[in-house]
Amino acid sequence: MKKRIAFRKLGRTSAHKWSMLRNMVSSLIQHERIVTTVPKAKELRHVADQMITLAKGQDLHSRRQAGAIVRGPWNLTKLFDVLGPRYQLREGGYTRVLKLAKNRAGDNAPMALIEYVDRPGEVRAARPPKKLQEAIEMYGLEQALRELGIPTVDELVDEEEKKEIEAELKNKS
């Protein structure tokens, strides 16, 4: 009786499987969306979520642990400078696996699209993080953003820019 088996074998040796998953997670970090088979996407989801969790740590130990898996220093930089801060409020579920309608032409393998949520150009919009939803319900949007340390529009835009924006809006209407 098999118990507590962590990953699928995917028809490969352990070294080949980890090499493939490392390559795939590096490609996912670089492109933020890749197409692969359904079983590979489901296995990649665990590794990709683990990398984002490490990136949220923002310390040297987390960076070295992620560096042992992610290939390429540019991917590691993007992981810690772009993706980690993007998911700071989200408590998990950083990736989405969508099954594609058409199977692969050569062997009829079921294909899937795996992507990070909350990114520009995503296929389907994600729900906001739970912390943000609860804060909006309690305080209202403006106060919730202030509580979470996110600056409001008034703090980001100075008076001159506000006047320019209002002038542009008046010209359009």
Side-chain angles (χ1 to χ4, degrees):
M1 184 182 307
K2 290 183 175 182
K3 292 184 177 177
R4 299 180 63 95
I5 306 298
F7 291 102
R8 293 176 175 86
K9 292 190 181 205
L10 298 174
R12 290 160 172 78
T13 62
S14 179
H16 186 189
K17 176 186 67 182
W18 271 106
S19 178
M20 179 193 66
L21 286 173
R22 288 179 64 195
N23 287 334
M24 290 175 73
V25 77
S26 298
S27 294
L28 183 62
I29 289 168
Q30 184 176 355
H31 302 291
E32 297 190 24
R33 176 193 298 164
I34 59 173
V35 176
T36 183
T37 62
V38 173
K40 287 179 190 172
K42 288 181 177 180
E43 289 306 308
L44 177 62
R45 178 177 48 192
H46 301 296
V47 180
D49 284 354
Q50 189 178 21
M51 292 301 102
I52 294 294
T53 303
L54 287 173
K56 286 169 63 175
Q58 295 291 329
D59 59 342
L60 183 61
H61 182 62
S62 299
R63 194 174 191 91
R64 287 182 175 164
Q65 282 183 314
I69 296 172
V70 174
R71 298 185 192 271
W74 57 90
N75 285 332
L76 199 59
T77 302
K78 181 176 181 182
L79 180 66
F80 278 83
D81 293 347
V82 177
L83 299 177
R86 181 189 299 170
Y87 298 109
Q88 205 63 41
L89 296 177
R90 191 171 285 277
E91 296 177 351
Y94 312 112
T95 55
R96 170 188 301 130
V97 175
L98 298 169
K99 293 181 182 177
L100 298 178
K102 291 194 173 190
N103 293 345
R104 189 161 55 195
D107 59 355
N108 205 29
M111 298 300 285
L113 175 98
I114 182 166
E115 69 175 358
Y116 284 119
V117 298
D118 289 340
R119 61 183 268 290
E122 64 183 336
V123 174
R124 192 179 125 230
R127 278 183 248 142
K130 201 171 193 176
K131 282 184 182 178
L132 185 59
Q133 283 180 338
E134 291 170 355
I136 289 171
E137 289 172 6
M138 285 177 56
Y139 307 115
L141 180 62
E142 201 167 307
Q143 181 65 26
L145 293 176
R146 205 173 292 120
E147 289 286 325
L148 295 171
I150 301 170
T152 61
V153 175
D154 294 332
E155 296 169 6
L156 293 174
V157 180
D158 61 349
E159 292 298 322
E160 292 177 16
E161 289 177 319
K162 281 183 188 177
K163 290 177 183 175
E164 290 175 14
I165 292 170
E166 288 174 2
E168 286 181 29
L169 291 174
K170 287 179 182 176
N171 290 338
K172 286 185 179 180
S173 57

